[in-house]
Amino acid sequence: MEVAKGVSEGPGSPFLQEGTCAGGGSGLTQRQSPVAPSPPLQDGPQLQSAASFSREGRESSEIQVSIILPVYNAECWLDECLKSVLEQDFQGSMELSVFNDASMDNSGNILKKWKVLLEEAGIKMVLGENDSSQPRGVGFAKNHAIDQSSGTYLCFLDSIIGCQIEREPAEATERYTRWINNLTCEQLLTQVFTSHGPTVIMPTWFCSREWFCHVGRFDEAGKGTPEDLLFFYEHLRKGGGVFRVNQCLLLYRYHPQAATHSVLEGTIWTHRVLFLEERILSRWTFFTIWNAGKQGRKLFRSLTPANQKKVAAFCDVDTNKISKGFYTYEESKENPKPRIPILHFRDATPPFIICVKLDLTGGQFEENLKLLNLKEAVDYYHFN
């Protein structure tokens, strides 16, 4: 059975009960047995059988799945995106809910054309728009697309901004693509503090409306707001699990106009540090920062004073850094200034917060970490 591939310009799933958030795209066609879930942060829900889900849809007049599509100046990609909705083979009841956020190109006319085509094929399309002169942002558009929809489950397919993915162009963000496609079930939860954002890409999320309402709406602060990351963090805070279908169901476009480029690195950094402190550092009495260079020191300086005091040491492989013996935090208002030991990684004591980028040292860092025989999410967490 063929699986339609969703199309997105930004960074499938089995059918899930409330309390889950997972890869989906236009992966409503998925028919394989549900994949094993990653361990939830709290007692999590179980997967619902796809066959049962489809059967219930055919027997009910209610809409089971609403595909959520926010649009802003997406004329270059809309035809391919909407074609993927038309070509999926989900057998339950479904609708497409589109919100056009003040597009200034031909997106509006394309959407009207596809509304006729989709409804001729038996797919209901709800079309809303922001008719002002200024867009209100991704979070605003997503929330309004959800408000005007009626499905029990929400499947996100957006033309503005996880499943495995195919990149277009193929050479764009190669390390990121390898990372998102090769995370284990456990790492979908343990690597949520890295610089990459959610461990399942936003357009492939699939969750119940009940769960969306429980987590809360997307942040509507507008351009520059990482609304997907903030929602993802809140989802985890409230005990949500994370799942992924190990098939490529999303064509993920990379181009300079993508909304994701409006989010500043400093904004993402601040949210990541706060979430790390809340979820991990709050329950540790001490830890070691793996990387005595720029990124490790930046993390140290970004921590609250209470968490700075928990840093027992930095560790590294660079003999020049290690030979200095200490890192002195000159910006501190304390007197004397804090001096943090710098050790070789073999001499350091876990747990570690690792600020070394993966897949950049020809495997040397990964081999060093393996030598210590540590367990991720117990002895260490990745931050970069």
Side-chain angles (χ1 to χ4, degrees):
M1 187 169 297
E2 293 300 319
V3 177
K5 183 178 290 184
V7 182
S8 173
E9 65 154 305
S13 172
F15 304 102
L16 310 178
Q17 294 179 331
E18 60 268 21
T20 65
C21 186
S26 57
L28 298 174
T29 56
Q30 184 62 29
R31 290 290 187 275
Q32 69 181 37
S33 298
V35 295
S38 60
L41 296 182
Q42 300 175 8
D43 292 338
Q46 301 300 313
L47 293 174
Q48 180 178 352
S49 138
S52 169
F53 188 96
S54 179
R55 183 178 63 252
E56 291 171 8
R58 290 192 296 269
E59 293 173 353
S60 171
S61 60
E62 296 181 356
I63 298 294
Q64 284 202 295
V65 175
S66 293
I67 299 175
I68 304 301
L69 176 59
V71 170
Y72 175 67
N73 288 352
E75 64 178 1
C76 295
W77 310 283
L78 267 177
D79 283 319
E80 190 174 3
C81 176
L82 295 171
K83 186 172 181 283
S84 74
V85 177
L86 182 65
E87 291 181 348
Q88 59 74 42
D89 62 3
F90 173 56
Q91 312 233 331
S93 56
M94 180 185 71
E95 69 178 1
L96 172 64
S97 179
V98 183
F99 191 84
N100 184 6
D101 188 21
S103 292
M104 295 176 287
D105 61 2
N106 197 40
S107 294
N109 290 330
I110 295 172
L111 290 170
K112 290 174 183 176
K113 175 191 73 173
W114 274 97
K115 180 175 172 65
V116 174
L117 294 174
L118 288 166
E119 293 190 345
E120 284 178 351
I123 300 174
K124 177 185 176 184
M125 178 171 166
V126 184
L127 180 57
E129 64 178 341
N130 169 15
D131 57 7
S132 70
S133 60
Q134 295 294 324
R136 295 283 301 277
V138 183
F140 176 86
K142 286 176 182 173
N143 286 334
H144 278 69
I146 293 166
D147 289 344
Q148 68 189 18
S149 70
S150 58
T152 303
Y153 293 84
L154 305 176
C155 179
F156 294 86
L157 173 63
D158 64 53
S159 60
I160 304 179
I161 317 257
C163 117
Q164 293 174 330
I165 66 168
E166 176 186 336
R167 256 308 193 187
E168 186 178 286
E171 66 275 11
T173 64
E174 293 183 55
R175 288 178 55 246
Y176 173 75
T177 302
R178 282 196 297 273
W179 176 77
I180 202 72
N181 283 342
N182 291 290
L183 290 170
T184 66
C185 290
E186 292 77 14
Q187 287 172 332
L188 292 173
L189 283 174
T190 62
Q191 295 202 9
V192 298
F193 308 104
T194 69
S195 59
H196 303 294
T199 51
V200 283
I201 292 177
M202 170 60 210
T204 64
W205 289 5
F206 187 94
C207 68
S208 72
R209 179 181 301 274
E210 181 179 354
W211 182 250
F212 173 82
C213 293
H214 177 65
V215 174
R217 298 164 67 81
F218 289 104
D219 191 301
E220 296 186 9
K223 186 175 181 179
T225 301
E227 84 295 327
D228 55 343
L229 181 63
L230 296 178
F231 187 95
F232 186 69
Y233 283 170
E234 190 62 22
H235 164 78
L236 295 176
R237 286 186 182 103
K238 294 190 174 179
V242 186
F243 305 84
R244 186 188 66 209
V245 167
N246 291 321
Q247 289 185 342
C248 178
L249 300 176
L250 177 71
L251 180 62
Y252 184 26
R253 280 204 180 87
Y254 182 89
H255 64 91
Q257 287 74 45
T260 187
H261 296 306
S262 71
V263 183
L264 298 177
E265 180 182 345
T267 301
I268 296 290
W269 177 276
T270 297
H271 288 301
R272 288 170 52 217
V273 171
L274 289 173
F275 198 60
L276 176 73
E277 291 187 307
E278 171 195 329
R279 304 291 285 185
I280 306 302
L281 303 187
S282 63
R283 53 187 175 85
W284 284 358
T285 57
F286 72 92
F287 62 97
T288 300
I289 296 178
W290 190 320
N291 187 347
K294 181 179 178 181
Q295 291 296 302
R297 297 180 184 193
K298 180 180 177 181
L299 174 60
F300 178 85
R301 293 192 299 268
S302 301
L303 298 174
T304 63
N307 283 320
Q308 287 177 354
K309 292 182 184 302
K310 295 181 182 180
V311 178
F314 289 91
C315 73
D316 213 292
V317 295
D318 188 324
T319 54
N320 290 329
K321 295 186 181 74
I322 296 169
S323 65
K324 292 179 181 178
F326 291 90
Y327 162 65
T328 303
Y329 181 31
E330 299 290 354
E331 294 88 349
S332 174
K333 295 180 180 179
E334 294 184 28
N335 193 15
K337 306 291 186 185
R339 298 176 75 228
I340 314 301
I342 302 176
L343 309 174
H344 191 278
F345 76 90
R346 289 193 186 93
D347 299 321
T349 303
F352 297 100
I353 296 298
I354 298 176
C355 293
V356 180
K357 292 183 178 179
L358 297 169
D359 198 17
L360 273 183
T361 61
Q364 187 59 58
F365 163 71
E366 287 81 359
E367 186 62 30
N368 289 339
L369 181 60
K370 185 178 178 181
L371 286 173
L372 299 183
N373 196 29
L374 303 175
K375 183 175 176 58
E376 189 169 359
V378 175
D379 301 308
Y380 68 90
Y381 284 88
H382 286 285
F383 188 72
N384 267 27

